[in-house]
Amino acid sequence: MVVLLLLLIPLIGASFLFLYKGDYQFSAAAALKISLASLLVMGARLFYWQTPEMLSFSAPWLTALGSSFSLRMDGLGTILSLLTTASYFLLFWYLRGQSIERPAAFFAWLLLAQAGMLGVFLAMDSLLFYFFWELALIPMYFLASQWGGARRIPVTFKFFIYTFLGSVFMLIGILYLQSKTADHSFALESIKKIRLSSDQQSWLFWLFFIAFAIKLPVFPFHTWQPDTYEESPTPVTAMLSAVMVKMGILGLLRWLLPLFPIASYMWGDVVMTLAVVGIVYASFLAMQQTDLKRLIAYSSIAHIGLMTAGAFALNNMAYQGLLLQLFTHGINILGMWILADLIERKTGTRTMASLGGIAQHSPAITIFFVIISLANIALPLTNAFVGEFLLFNGILATPSNYYWVFAVVGGLGIIFSAVYTLKMIRTIFYGEANSVTQAPILLASHECWVLSAMVCLILFFGVYPQPLLNLTADFSKELFGLTDITALFRKS
Amino acid sequence: MNALLVSAILGVLLMLSSVFIKNKSSIHTLALVGLAVLFVLNLAEINGWLLFEIDLKGMLRFDRYALVMNAIMLASLFFYLLLSGRSMEKVGPHYADYLALLFFICAGLFMVTGYTSLLILFLGIEVISIPLYILTGSDKRNLKSNEAALKYFLLGSFSTGLLLLGIAFFYGARGNFSATVAVDPTVVGSSLQLASLLLLLFAMSFKVSVAPFHFWTPDVYDGAPTVFTSFMATIVKVALFAAFVRLFEDTFSLQFSTWQPWVAGFAVLTLLIGNLTAVFQQSVKRMLAYSSIAQAGFMLLAVYAINGDSKEGLLLYAASYSLATIGIFAVLSHLQDYTFEGFNGLAKKQPVVAASLAIFFLSLAGIPLTGGFLAKLFMIKAALVYQPWVAIFAVIMAVVAVFYYFRVIQAMYFRTADQASFPEFPKHFPTLLLVTALLLVLLGVFPETILGLLYF
């Protein structure tokens, strides 16, 4: 029931907003309440509703095809739903007191995207998964194309085409798997029972991987990402990078690795090479950026690269770190986008060279920015440190001959991220104040609350990550059971 | 059988009606009522209730598949008449005659979905084609319309010649015209048999505008009055595909390995040419002409795979493709400017029309939650039984299709209008359009409503 509620609340909310076209105040308040309702349901799930009946839902649908509307919230689904509901709530809270054209439609599309993404996180049927995968894309496309910057139309279209191209390959893979199941069903459980030869696994692996690699994005499939992040309105960018890229990681963890473990091992070196090349490449580009949004976009590619490498480390430690990082990366990057948006709105520019010396007159935003940036580079005592530490440990235990290369190059990424982040802080906040930054940046009270809430999350989970690890421990153990290469080879 | 005879009678009735009824909207209502009657009679026949008891001499067989296909075509035709029936008045003065011709074509459509003798197939195709030649040229003062009609007539006659020759060879090889009688395996390899197979394949490919026999399509679709293009590109094409499937499923089932590579090649070529050419069009009408070629490539996969999935897929394809295309053409026939720029900013001025159009285009592009997605899904699933390459090629081409379908969505939603006004749509037009679009969504969410007809 919980899973159904989580889908229905944003869906009904979105339809309501589409039909009842209120002004900005009304729409923003309504959206905030809807996202609060989702968050409360999620909270209730964490503390009270924990029986399996509450956490799954199944109804017949497209029975002629062998598909059913089946949702279930496992550890991965839990942490991602938590991230989604929390990010939406924080974002909508932050968005109060701004103004956006056609607000009702804007919030409605965002809520539709929320429903789509939650569907992706919870679907246990491959066709349903594909449905939601596309449904999450359409609202984002409309959002970015209608409310974006000057080059929005070609840029977001590129984003759409890339993702669509990836997903149709996945569709072929899904249909092929369905034809191989004993009961001609799209259900994940049935698919898991198929015994695939390593050749079959290999090409199916690529059909699925391209879809996920584009979504993540992994180098060299990333070219849509910086443009799209830059041209989209910042709230949309925030949701794209905080929540939507997690669809790619989820694809790896729920579909790719457990279904094709042998191929994941065989192609693991290739993927990890791509991932660490992406880390270095994106870090270098991030150092060269003059635009704040583009810098964050490239830094996001670098982080995702590390997470992808962790997924292919194929051991429990890396999975644990990755699952934790799903949540922390989402919160941290959301914080970065909110701060970028604040700076752009209050100073009117996001070119870093024309900013400078903000710290002199506006200490509050400086403190928030520094804490969240430090979390973004995974300093100890921040939440990301725990996740990245586990990830690196896991990468060092990779069943590959080149594990140390991946660990060293990935480690360089951390150093680089410190370089560009600190450089960004220095350019924007320190130095002499100029005419743009002369006026103090005053934070409204709700903006202060949102940022404080984030800082609390960052510090709390930096010191005590155990609750999150507990949520996902079962899932990661089960995943490791399915992808444990030594055991698999012993069996065959 | 019910629908076939009654549609011919209704055709005559409508032709005479112009003498007695001067009011065009009454004639329109009469046609709609006639269609509703046809639909009910067809449903009755699905449930085994026949109006006439006629000995068909084994030349026609209305099985469940044919009847469901007829029901889909009739429903599409009903929406077609609702949405663009009144636009026909703008074409010329002979309003009742156009409607009468549509009903005659209907009789032909039912013949080609239900034939068991190749003679009936030939007759059916002629009954469809001759009224279509007239309708294509019905805008008499327009040179393009005249040119299209002549072109269509000449090339159509040529392909009919191929068809007839194929049927003659068929008779030579087998000694009968029956599409269902089991073949003597010894004649399968004969050269007469092979010649008839290829001639029939080429003739049918021509009729459904499959590459490399598609050259007539863009000019004819572009030149014909928009309302009639809509009809030709959807309902007629779908019926001919049903005939195509029946011909190759029943008649040539033993030569499967001979014709399957041909059909695969044609499908790939059609998808390639249709999609790539559509990307470069400047006029939405011409783009839709090429898109109809591209969609024909997908429908051809039903012939290529010829299994349960592909036949179900063709039904879904028939419904979703027809509804979407009819909706788009209905809007197009009200616009002055057929270029992509003509759609700029439509979403602000006419939100309901724009939203419906967006759903139509999303369905044609095959985005989930629309009928078009499931139709494509069935086709790909069917084709995956054989070589995966055809299916993979088809989905890549589906991505190419997004390029041109989304140009219209971009124009409507993301660009602002440079021209001041759009023409006023008739009063109930936006609502009707929205109903059509919602039906398409319904088809995408609960396709069992249509497929269930096949089995229950």
Side-chain angles (χ1 to χ4, degrees), chain A residues 61-65 102 127 130-131 134-135 138 141-142 145-146 152-154 156-157 160-161 164-165 168-169 171-172 175-176 178 186 203 207, chain B residues 348 362 365-369 373-374 377-378 380-381 384 388 391-392 395-396 398-399 402-403 406 409-410 413-415 444-448 451:
Chain A
W61 179 63
L62 295 180
T63 35
L65 266 171
R102 283 169 291 141
L127 192 65
Y130 181 82
F131 256 76
E134 295 284 339
L135 287 190
I138 298 280
Y141 173 65
F142 271 81
S145 292
Q146 283 184 287
R152 64 187 191 280
I153 298 177
T156 48
F157 192 50
F160 184 87
I161 287 282
F164 190 60
L165 181 69
V168 296
F169 285 127
L171 183 64
I172 295 265
L175 286 172
Y176 182 81
Q178 189 256 2
F186 282 100
W203 64 269
L207 286 179
Chain B
K348 285 221 179 62
L362 290 176
I367 304 290
L369 279 198
F373 167 72
L374 281 177
L377 183 88
F378 269 88
I380 293 166
K381 192 163 165 255
L384 266 180
I392 290 179
V395 297
I396 293 175
V399 177
V402 169
F403 274 97
F406 273 55
I409 296 182
Q410 288 170 349
Y413 279 91
F414 312 146
R415 294 182 202 278
V445 185
F446 301 109
E448 272 108 346
L451 294 180

Coordinates of all heavy atoms in Angstrom, one line a residue, chain A residues 61-65 102 127 130-131 134-135 138 141-142 145-146 152-154 156-157 160-161 164-165 168-169 171-172 175-176 178 186 203 207, chain B residues 348 362 365-369 373-374 377-378 380-381 384 388 391-392 395-396 398-399 402-403 406 409-410 413-415 444-448 451:
Chain A
W61 N -2.3 -6.5 -15.0 CA -2.3 -5.5 -16.0 C -1.6 -6.0 -17.2 O -0.5 -6.6 -17.1 CB -1.6 -4.2 -15.4 CG -1.5 -3.1 -16.4 CD1 -2.5 -2.4 -16.9 CD2 -0.3 -2.5 -16.9 NE1 -2.1 -1.4 -17.7 CE2 -0.7 -1.5 -17.8 CE3 1.0 -2.8 -16.7 CZ2 0.2 -0.7 -18.4 CZ3 1.9 -2.0 -17.4 CH2 1.5 -0.9 -18.3
L62 N -2.1 -5.8 -18.4 CA -1.5 -6.3 -19.6 C -1.2 -7.8 -19.5 O -0.1 -8.3 -19.8 CB -0.2 -5.6 -19.9 CG -0.3 -4.1 -20.3 CD1 1.1 -3.6 -20.6 CD2 -1.2 -3.9 -21.5
T63 N -2.2 -8.6 -19.0 CA -2.0 -10.0 -18.7 C -1.7 -10.7 -20.0 O -1.0 -11.7 -20.1 CB -3.2 -10.6 -18.0 OG1 -4.3 -10.0 -18.5 CG2 -3.1 -10.5 -16.5
A64 N -2.3 -10.2 -21.1 CA -2.1 -10.9 -22.4 C -0.6 -10.9 -22.8 O -0.1 -11.8 -23.4 CB -2.9 -10.2 -23.5
L65 N 0.1 -9.8 -22.3 CA 1.5 -9.7 -22.7 C 2.4 -10.4 -21.7 O 3.5 -10.7 -22.0 CB 1.9 -8.3 -22.7 CG 1.8 -7.5 -24.0 CD1 2.0 -6.0 -23.7 CD2 2.9 -8.0 -24.9
R102 N 3.9 30.6 -15.4 CA 3.0 29.4 -15.4 C 3.3 28.5 -14.3 O 3.7 27.3 -14.6 CB 3.0 28.7 -16.8 CG 2.3 29.5 -17.9 CD 2.6 29.0 -19.2 NE 4.0 29.2 -19.6 CZ 4.7 28.4 -20.3 NH1 4.3 27.2 -20.6 NH2 6.0 28.7 -20.6
L127 N 8.6 -4.6 -17.9 CA 7.9 -3.7 -18.8 C 7.4 -2.5 -18.1 O 7.4 -1.4 -18.6 CB 6.7 -4.5 -19.4 CG 6.0 -3.7 -20.6 CD1 7.0 -3.6 -21.8 CD2 4.8 -4.5 -21.1
Y130 N 10.1 -0.2 -17.8 CA 10.4 0.6 -19.0 C 9.3 1.7 -19.1 O 9.7 2.8 -19.5 CB 10.3 -0.3 -20.2 CG 10.5 0.4 -21.5 CD1 11.8 0.7 -21.9 CD2 9.5 0.9 -22.2 CE1 12.0 1.4 -23.1 CE2 9.7 1.6 -23.4 CZ 11.0 1.8 -23.8 OH 11.2 2.5 -25.0
F131 N 8.1 1.4 -18.8 CA 7.0 2.4 -18.8 C 7.4 3.6 -18.0 O 7.4 4.8 -18.5 CB 5.7 1.9 -18.3 CG 4.7 1.5 -19.3 CD1 4.9 0.4 -20.1 CD2 3.6 2.3 -19.5 CE1 4.0 0.0 -21.0 CE2 2.7 2.0 -20.5 CZ 2.8 0.8 -21.2
E134 N 10.3 5.8 -19.3 CA 10.0 6.8 -20.3 C 9.1 7.9 -19.6 O 9.3 9.1 -20.0 CB 9.2 6.2 -21.4 CG 10.0 5.2 -22.2 CD 11.0 5.9 -23.1 OE1 10.8 7.0 -23.4 OE2 11.9 5.2 -23.5
L135 N 8.2 7.5 -18.7 CA 7.3 8.5 -18.2 C 8.1 9.6 -17.3 O 7.6 10.7 -17.2 CB 6.3 7.9 -17.3 CG 5.3 7.1 -18.1 CD1 4.1 6.7 -17.2 CD2 4.7 8.0 -19.2
I138 N 9.6 12.3 -20.0 CA 8.7 13.3 -20.7 C 8.5 14.5 -19.9 O 8.7 15.6 -20.4 CB 7.3 12.6 -21.1 CG1 7.6 11.4 -22.0 CG2 6.4 13.6 -21.6 CD1 7.8 11.8 -23.4
Y141 N 11.6 16.6 -19.9 CA 11.8 17.2 -21.3 C 10.9 18.5 -21.4 O 11.4 19.5 -21.8 CB 11.4 16.2 -22.3 CG 11.4 16.7 -23.7 CD1 12.6 17.2 -24.3 CD2 10.3 16.8 -24.5 CE1 12.6 17.7 -25.6 CE2 10.3 17.4 -25.7 CZ 11.4 17.8 -26.3 OH 11.4 18.3 -27.5
F142 N 9.7 18.4 -21.0 CA 8.8 19.5 -21.1 C 9.3 20.6 -20.2 O 9.3 21.8 -20.5 CB 7.4 19.1 -20.8 CG 6.6 18.7 -22.0 CD1 6.8 17.4 -22.5 CD2 5.8 19.6 -22.7 CE1 6.1 17.0 -23.7 CE2 5.2 19.2 -23.9 CZ 5.3 17.9 -24.4
S145 N 12.5 22.3 -21.6 CA 12.3 23.0 -22.8 C 11.4 24.2 -22.7 O 11.5 25.1 -23.5 CB 11.6 22.0 -23.9 OG 12.5 21.0 -24.2
Q146 N 10.5 24.2 -21.7 CA 9.6 25.3 -21.6 C 10.2 26.4 -20.7 O 9.9 27.6 -20.9 CB 8.3 24.9 -21.1 CG 7.4 24.2 -22.1 CD 6.0 23.9 -21.6 OE1 5.9 23.0 -20.8 NE2 5.1 24.6 -22.1
R152 N 17.6 26.3 -25.1 CA 17.0 25.2 -24.5 C 16.4 24.2 -25.5 O 16.5 23.0 -25.2 CB 15.8 25.7 -23.5 CG 14.7 26.4 -24.3 CD 13.7 27.0 -23.4 NE 12.5 27.4 -24.1 CZ 12.5 28.5 -24.8 NH1 13.5 29.3 -24.9 NH2 11.4 28.8 -25.5
I153 N 15.9 24.6 -26.6 CA 15.2 23.7 -27.5 C 16.1 22.6 -28.0 O 15.9 21.4 -27.9 CB 14.4 24.4 -28.5 CG1 13.3 25.3 -27.8 CG2 13.7 23.4 -29.5 CD1 12.5 26.1 -28.8
P154 N 17.2 23.0 -28.7 CA 18.1 22.0 -29.2 C 18.8 21.2 -28.1 O 18.9 19.9 -28.2 CB 19.1 22.7 -30.1 CG 19.0 24.1 -29.7 CD 17.6 24.4 -29.2
T156 N 17.8 20.4 -24.9 CA 17.0 19.4 -24.3 C 16.5 18.3 -25.2 O 16.3 17.2 -24.8 CB 15.8 20.0 -23.6 OG1 15.1 20.9 -24.5 CG2 16.2 20.8 -22.4
F157 N 16.4 18.7 -26.5 CA 16.1 17.7 -27.5 C 17.2 16.6 -27.6 O 16.9 15.4 -27.7 CB 15.8 18.3 -28.8 CG 15.1 17.4 -29.8 CD1 14.0 16.6 -29.4 CD2 15.6 17.2 -31.1 CE1 13.4 15.8 -30.3 CE2 15.0 16.3 -32.0 CZ 13.9 15.6 -31.5
F160 N 16.8 14.4 -24.8 CA 15.7 13.4 -25.0 C 16.1 12.3 -26.0 O 15.9 11.1 -25.7 CB 14.5 14.2 -25.6 CG 13.3 13.3 -25.7 CD1 12.4 13.1 -24.6 CD2 13.0 12.7 -26.9 CE1 11.3 12.3 -24.7 CE2 11.9 11.8 -27.0 CZ 11.0 11.7 -25.9
I161 N 16.7 12.7 -27.1 CA 17.1 11.7 -28.1 C 18.1 10.7 -27.5 O 17.9 9.5 -27.7 CB 17.7 12.4 -29.3 CG1 16.6 13.1 -30.1 CG2 18.4 11.5 -30.2 CD1 15.7 12.2 -31.0
F164 N 16.3 8.4 -25.1 CA 15.3 7.6 -25.8 C 16.1 6.5 -26.6 O 15.7 5.3 -26.5 CB 14.5 8.4 -26.7 CG 13.3 7.7 -27.3 CD1 12.3 7.2 -26.5 CD2 13.2 7.6 -28.7 CE1 11.3 6.5 -27.1 CE2 12.1 6.9 -29.2 CZ 11.1 6.3 -28.4
L165 N 17.2 6.9 -27.2 CA 17.9 5.9 -27.9 C 18.4 4.8 -27.0 O 18.3 3.6 -27.3 CB 19.2 6.6 -28.6 CG 20.0 5.6 -29.4 CD1 19.3 5.2 -30.7 CD2 21.3 6.3 -29.8
V168 N 15.5 2.4 -26.0 CA 14.9 1.5 -26.9 C 15.8 0.2 -27.0 O 15.3 -0.9 -27.2 CB 14.6 2.0 -28.3 CG1 13.6 3.1 -28.3 CG2 15.9 2.5 -29.0
F169 N 17.1 0.4 -26.8 CA 18.0 -0.8 -26.8 C 17.6 -1.6 -25.6 O 17.5 -2.9 -25.7 CB 19.4 -0.4 -26.7 CG 20.0 0.2 -28.0 CD1 20.6 1.4 -28.1 CD2 19.9 -0.6 -29.1 CE1 21.1 1.9 -29.2 CE2 20.4 -0.1 -30.3 CZ 21.0 1.1 -30.4
L171 N 14.7 -1.8 -24.3 CA 13.5 -2.5 -24.6 C 13.7 -3.8 -25.4 O 13.0 -4.8 -25.1 CB 12.6 -1.5 -25.4 CG 11.2 -2.1 -25.8 CD1 10.4 -2.3 -24.5 CD2 10.4 -1.1 -26.7
I172 N 14.6 -3.7 -26.4 CA 14.9 -5.0 -27.1 C 15.4 -6.1 -26.1 O 14.9 -7.2 -26.2 CB 16.0 -4.7 -28.1 CG1 15.6 -3.8 -29.2 CG2 16.5 -6.0 -28.7 CD1 15.0 -4.4 -30.4
L175 N 12.5 -7.4 -24.1 CA 11.6 -8.3 -24.9 C 12.3 -9.7 -25.1 O 11.7 -10.7 -25.1 CB 11.3 -7.7 -26.3 CG 10.3 -6.6 -26.2 CD1 10.1 -5.9 -27.5 CD2 8.9 -7.1 -25.7
Y176 N 13.6 -9.6 -25.3 CA 14.3 -10.9 -25.5 C 14.3 -11.7 -24.3 O 14.0 -12.9 -24.3 CB 15.8 -10.6 -25.9 CG 16.6 -11.8 -26.2 CD1 16.5 -12.5 -27.4 CD2 17.4 -12.4 -25.2 CE1 17.2 -13.6 -27.6 CE2 18.1 -13.5 -25.4 CZ 18.0 -14.2 -26.7 OH 18.7 -15.3 -26.9
Q178 N 12.0 -11.6 -22.0 CA 10.7 -12.1 -21.7 C 10.4 -13.4 -22.6 O 9.8 -14.3 -22.1 CB 9.7 -11.0 -22.1 CG 8.2 -11.4 -21.7 CD 7.4 -11.8 -22.9 OE1 7.9 -11.8 -24.0 NE2 6.1 -12.1 -22.7
F186 N 7.1 -10.8 -17.8 CA 8.1 -9.7 -17.7 C 8.6 -9.6 -16.3 O 9.4 -8.7 -16.0 CB 7.5 -8.4 -18.1 CG 7.4 -8.3 -19.6 CD1 6.2 -8.5 -20.3 CD2 8.5 -7.9 -20.4 CE1 6.1 -8.3 -21.6 CE2 8.4 -7.7 -21.7 CZ 7.2 -8.0 -22.4
W203 N 25.8 -9.7 -24.9 CA 25.1 -8.7 -25.7 C 23.9 -8.1 -25.1 O 23.6 -6.9 -25.2 CB 24.9 -9.2 -27.2 CG 23.9 -10.3 -27.4 CD1 24.2 -11.6 -27.5 CD2 22.5 -10.2 -27.6 NE1 23.1 -12.3 -27.7 CE2 22.0 -11.5 -27.8 CE3 21.6 -9.1 -27.7 CZ2 20.7 -11.8 -28.0 CZ3 20.3 -9.4 -27.9 CH2 19.9 -10.7 -28.1
L207 N 23.1 -4.1 -24.3 CA 21.8 -3.4 -24.6 C 21.3 -2.7 -23.4 O 20.8 -1.5 -23.5 CB 20.7 -4.5 -25.0 CG 20.9 -5.1 -26.4 CD1 19.8 -6.2 -26.6 CD2 20.8 -4.0 -27.5
Chain B
K348 N -0.4 27.9 -26.5 CA -0.9 29.1 -25.7 C -2.3 29.4 -26.2 O -3.2 29.7 -25.4 CB 0.0 30.3 -25.9 CG 1.3 30.2 -25.1 CD 1.6 31.5 -24.5 CE 2.9 31.3 -23.7 NZ 4.0 30.9 -24.6
L362 N 3.0 11.8 -29.9 CA 3.7 10.9 -28.9 C 3.4 9.4 -29.3 O 4.2 8.5 -29.2 CB 3.4 11.2 -27.5 CG 3.9 12.5 -26.9 CD1 3.4 12.7 -25.5 CD2 5.4 12.4 -26.9
A365 N 5.2 8.4 -32.3 CA 6.6 8.1 -32.0 C 6.8 6.9 -31.2 O 7.9 6.4 -31.0 CB 7.2 9.4 -31.3
G366 N 5.7 6.4 -30.6 CA 5.8 5.2 -29.8 C 6.3 5.4 -28.4 O 7.1 4.7 -27.8
I367 N 5.8 6.4 -27.7 CA 6.1 6.7 -26.3 C 5.1 6.0 -25.4 O 3.9 6.0 -25.7 CB 6.1 8.2 -26.0 CG1 7.0 9.0 -27.0 CG2 6.4 8.5 -24.6 CD1 8.4 8.8 -26.8
P368 N 5.6 5.4 -24.3 CA 4.6 4.6 -23.5 C 3.4 5.4 -23.0 O 3.4 6.6 -23.0 CB 5.5 4.2 -22.3 CG 6.9 4.1 -22.8 CD 6.9 5.2 -23.9
L369 N 2.4 4.6 -22.7 CA 1.1 5.1 -22.2 C 0.2 5.5 -23.4 O -0.8 6.0 -23.2 CB 1.2 6.3 -21.3 CG 1.4 5.9 -19.8 CD1 1.0 7.1 -18.9 CD2 0.6 4.7 -19.4
F373 N 2.8 3.0 -28.7 CA 3.9 2.2 -28.0 C 3.6 0.7 -28.0 O 4.4 -0.1 -28.4 CB 4.1 2.7 -26.6 CG 5.0 1.8 -25.8 CD1 6.3 1.7 -26.0 CD2 4.5 1.0 -24.8 CE1 7.2 0.9 -25.3 CE2 5.3 0.1 -24.1 CZ 6.6 0.1 -24.4
L374 N 2.4 0.4 -27.6 CA 2.1 -1.1 -27.5 C 2.1 -1.7 -28.9 O 2.5 -2.8 -29.0 CB 0.8 -1.3 -26.8 CG 0.9 -1.2 -25.3 CD1 -0.5 -1.3 -24.6 CD2 1.8 -2.2 -24.7
L377 N 5.5 -2.3 -29.7 CA 6.1 -3.3 -28.8 C 5.7 -4.7 -29.4 O 6.5 -5.6 -29.5 CB 5.5 -3.2 -27.4 CG 6.0 -4.1 -26.4 CD1 7.2 -3.6 -25.8 CD2 5.0 -4.4 -25.3
F378 N 4.4 -4.9 -29.8 CA 4.0 -6.2 -30.3 C 4.8 -6.5 -31.6 O 5.2 -7.6 -31.8 CB 2.5 -6.1 -30.7 CG 1.6 -6.6 -29.5 CD1 1.2 -5.6 -28.6 CD2 1.2 -7.9 -29.4 CE1 0.4 -6.0 -27.5 CE2 0.4 -8.3 -28.3 CZ 0.0 -7.3 -27.4
I380 N 7.8 -5.5 -32.5 CA 9.2 -5.8 -32.2 C 9.3 -7.2 -31.6 O 10.2 -8.0 -31.9 CB 9.8 -4.7 -31.3 CG1 9.9 -3.4 -32.1 CG2 11.2 -5.1 -30.9 CD1 10.1 -2.3 -31.2
K381 N 8.4 -7.5 -30.7 CA 8.3 -8.7 -30.0 C 8.2 -9.9 -31.0 O 8.9 -10.9 -31.0 CB 7.2 -8.7 -29.0 CG 7.2 -9.9 -28.0 CD 6.3 -9.5 -26.9 CE 5.9 -10.8 -26.1 NZ 4.6 -11.3 -26.3
L384 N 11.4 -10.3 -33.1 CA 12.5 -10.8 -32.4 C 12.6 -12.3 -32.5 O 13.6 -12.9 -32.1 CB 12.5 -10.4 -30.9 CG 13.2 -9.1 -30.6 CD1 13.0 -8.8 -29.1 CD2 14.7 -9.2 -30.9
P388 N 17.5 -10.9 -34.7 CA 17.3 -9.7 -33.9 C 17.6 -8.4 -34.7 O 17.1 -7.3 -34.3 CB 18.3 -9.8 -32.7 CG 19.3 -10.8 -33.2 CD 18.6 -11.7 -34.2
A391 N 14.7 -6.2 -35.9 CA 14.0 -5.5 -34.8 C 14.9 -4.3 -34.3 O 14.4 -3.2 -34.0 CB 13.8 -6.5 -33.6
I392 N 16.2 -4.6 -34.2 CA 17.1 -3.5 -33.7 C 17.1 -2.3 -34.7 O 17.0 -1.2 -34.3 CB 18.5 -4.1 -33.5 CG1 18.5 -5.0 -32.3 CG2 19.5 -2.9 -33.3 CD1 19.8 -5.6 -32.0
V395 N 13.9 -0.3 -34.2 CA 13.8 0.6 -33.0 C 14.8 1.8 -33.2 O 14.4 2.9 -32.8 CB 14.1 0.0 -31.7 CG1 13.1 -1.1 -31.4 CG2 15.5 -0.6 -31.6
I396 N 15.9 1.6 -33.9 CA 16.7 2.8 -34.2 C 16.0 3.7 -35.1 O 16.0 5.0 -34.9 CB 18.1 2.3 -34.8 CG1 18.9 1.5 -33.8 CG2 18.9 3.5 -35.3 CD1 20.1 0.9 -34.4
A398 N 12.9 4.1 -35.1 CA 11.8 4.7 -34.2 C 12.4 5.9 -33.5 O 11.7 6.9 -33.3 CB 11.3 3.7 -33.2
V399 N 13.7 5.9 -33.2 CA 14.3 7.0 -32.6 C 14.5 8.2 -33.6 O 14.3 9.3 -33.3 CB 15.7 6.7 -32.0 CG1 16.4 7.9 -31.5 CG2 15.6 5.6 -31.0
V402 N 11.5 10.2 -33.9 CA 11.3 11.3 -32.9 C 11.7 12.6 -33.4 O 11.1 13.6 -33.1 CB 12.0 10.9 -31.6 CG1 12.1 12.0 -30.6 CG2 11.4 9.7 -31.0
F403 N 12.7 12.7 -34.2 CA 13.2 13.9 -34.8 C 12.1 14.7 -35.4 O 11.9 15.9 -35.2 CB 14.3 13.7 -35.8 CG 15.7 13.6 -35.1 CD1 16.2 12.4 -34.9 CD2 16.4 14.7 -34.8 CE1 17.4 12.2 -34.3 CE2 17.6 14.6 -34.2 CZ 18.1 13.4 -33.9
F406 N 8.7 15.3 -33.0 CA 8.9 16.2 -31.9 C 9.0 17.6 -32.4 O 8.9 18.6 -31.7 CB 10.0 15.8 -31.0 CG 9.6 14.9 -29.9 CD1 8.9 13.7 -30.2 CD2 9.8 15.2 -28.6 CE1 8.5 12.8 -29.2 CE2 9.4 14.3 -27.6 CZ 8.8 13.2 -27.9
I409 N 5.8 19.2 -31.8 CA 5.6 19.4 -30.3 C 6.4 20.6 -29.9 O 5.9 21.5 -29.2 CB 6.0 18.2 -29.5 CG1 5.0 17.0 -29.9 CG2 5.9 18.5 -28.0 CD1 5.2 15.8 -29.1
Q410 N 7.7 20.7 -30.4 CA 8.5 21.8 -30.0 C 7.9 23.1 -30.5 O 7.9 24.1 -29.8 CB 9.9 21.7 -30.6 CG 10.7 20.6 -30.0 CD 12.0 20.3 -30.7 OE1 12.2 20.8 -31.9 NE2 12.9 19.6 -30.1
Y413 N 4.7 24.0 -28.3 CA 4.9 24.3 -26.8 C 6.1 25.2 -26.5 O 6.0 25.9 -25.6 CB 5.1 22.9 -26.1 CG 3.8 22.3 -25.8 CD1 3.3 21.3 -26.7 CD2 3.1 22.6 -24.7 CE1 2.1 20.7 -26.4 CE2 1.8 22.0 -24.4 CZ 1.4 21.1 -25.3 OH 0.2 20.5 -25.1
F414 N 7.2 25.1 -27.3 CA 8.4 25.8 -26.8 C 8.7 27.1 -27.6 O 9.5 27.8 -27.3 CB 9.6 24.9 -26.9 CG 9.3 23.5 -26.3 CD1 9.9 22.4 -26.8 CD2 8.5 23.4 -25.2 CE1 9.7 21.2 -26.2 CE2 8.3 22.2 -24.6 CZ 8.9 21.1 -25.1
R415 N 8.0 27.2 -28.7 CA 8.2 28.4 -29.5 C 7.0 29.4 -29.4 O 5.9 28.9 -29.2 CB 8.5 28.1 -31.0 CG 9.8 27.3 -31.2 CD 10.0 27.0 -32.6 NE 10.9 25.8 -32.8 CZ 12.2 25.9 -32.7 NH1 12.8 27.0 -32.5 NH2 12.9 24.8 -32.8
G444 N -3.5 2.6 -24.9 CA -2.1 2.3 -24.5 C -2.1 1.7 -23.1 O -1.1 1.1 -22.7
V445 N -3.1 2.0 -22.3 CA -3.1 1.5 -20.9 C -3.8 0.2 -20.8 O -3.4 -0.8 -20.1 CB -3.7 2.5 -20.0 CG1 -3.6 2.1 -18.5 CG2 -3.0 3.9 -20.1
F446 N -4.9 0.1 -21.5 CA -5.7 -1.2 -21.4 C -6.0 -1.7 -22.9 O -7.1 -1.7 -23.4 CB -7.1 -0.9 -20.8 CG -6.9 -0.4 -19.4 CD1 -7.2 0.9 -19.0 CD2 -6.4 -1.3 -18.4 CE1 -7.1 1.3 -17.8 CE2 -6.3 -0.8 -17.1 CZ -6.6 0.5 -16.8
P447 N -4.9 -2.3 -23.5 CA -5.1 -2.7 -24.9 C -6.0 -3.9 -24.9 O -6.5 -4.3 -26.0 CB -3.7 -3.1 -25.3 CG -3.0 -3.4 -24.0 CD -3.6 -2.5 -23.0
E448 N -6.3 -4.6 -23.8 CA -7.1 -5.8 -23.8 C -8.5 -5.5 -24.3 O -9.2 -6.4 -24.7 CB -7.2 -6.4 -22.4 CG -6.0 -7.4 -22.1 CD -5.0 -6.8 -21.1 OE1 -5.0 -5.6 -20.9 OE2 -4.2 -7.6 -20.6
L451 N -8.0 -6.2 -27.9 CA -7.5 -7.6 -28.2 C -8.5 -8.6 -27.6 O -8.7 -9.7 -28.1 CB -6.2 -7.8 -27.5 CG -5.1 -7.0 -28.2 CD1 -3.7 -7.2 -27.5 CD2 -4.9 -7.2 -29.6

